[in-house]
Amino acid sequence: MSYRKVNYEEVDQVSSAMHVLSDPLETEQVGVTVARCDPDWKSKPHDHTDNDHEEVYVLIEGEATVVVDDDPVAMEAGDALWIPPESTRQIRNGDTESAFVLVSAPSLRNDDGDGDGDGDGGGSGNGEWLLSGFAG
């Protein structure tokens, strides 16, 4: 089979909000999580320096604030936010439910900004998906 399909609602939640889809989809280069955030839910502030994963947060429902390096970024449905690995990030939900799709992948740049230098097209991350920031 050349594809894998999963319904996020059938995947156990982490920290009462996150449905991590990378394992059931058996992804190798990208992490995908659906976050259904209850009113007033907050994620743990975290970064991805250890695994060098950049992230994109796409808000698909509701309104929320994502704090990036102490800078609150107001988000509404349809907004997408890119966050570099070294930046601290935290989701802070408002008084209504919201839903995000979170996408992460190893950075493809090195300190020179032109890839990781090994010629294989891969990033310098260690390939592990960290769940440390998902504790509500």
Side-chain angles (χ1 to χ4, degrees), residues 26-49:
E26 300 178 34
T27 63
E28 296 178 15
Q29 298 296 317
V30 64
V32 179
T33 300
V34 174
R36 296 215 55 96
C37 308
D38 289 333
D40 300 318
W41 183 86
K42 294 179 184 175
S43 67
K44 179 180 174 185
H46 68 287
D47 63 47
H48 287 280
T49 303

Side-chain angles (χ1 to χ4, degrees), residues 13-134:
Q13 285 184 326
V14 175
S15 300
S16 74
M18 308 290 185
H19 299 268
V20 181
L21 305 180
S22 301
D23 284 342
L25 289 172
E26 300 178 34
T27 63
E28 296 178 15
Q29 298 296 317
V30 64
V32 179
T33 300
V34 174
R36 296 215 55 96
C37 308
D38 289 333
D40 300 318
W41 183 86
K42 294 179 184 175
S43 67
K44 179 180 174 185
H46 68 287
D47 63 47
H48 287 280
T49 303
D50 289 345
N51 63 4
D52 200 33
H53 284 193
E54 61 183 343
E55 288 188 305
V56 175
Y57 286 18
V58 181
L59 187 63
I60 57 172
E61 186 179 304
E63 297 178 352
T65 299
V66 178
V67 179
V68 181
D69 292 332
D70 298 320
D71 184 19
V73 180
M75 305 223 9
E76 59 185 43
D79 288 345
L81 176 66
W82 172 81
I83 306 170
E86 64 277 0
S87 289
T88 301
R89 75 279 327 256
Q90 178 188 35
I91 295 173
R92 294 182 183 172
N93 201 30
D95 57 3
T96 60
E97 184 178 281
S98 68
F100 284 87
V101 173
L102 312 177
V103 180
S104 65
S107 176
L108 297 178
R109 65 179 186 272
N110 63 14
D111 292 339
D112 298 331
D114 62 354
D116 64 2
D118 66 5
D120 70 359
S124 59
N126 63 16
E128 295 180 23
W129 305 116
L130 298 181
L131 301 178
S132 60
F134 297 146

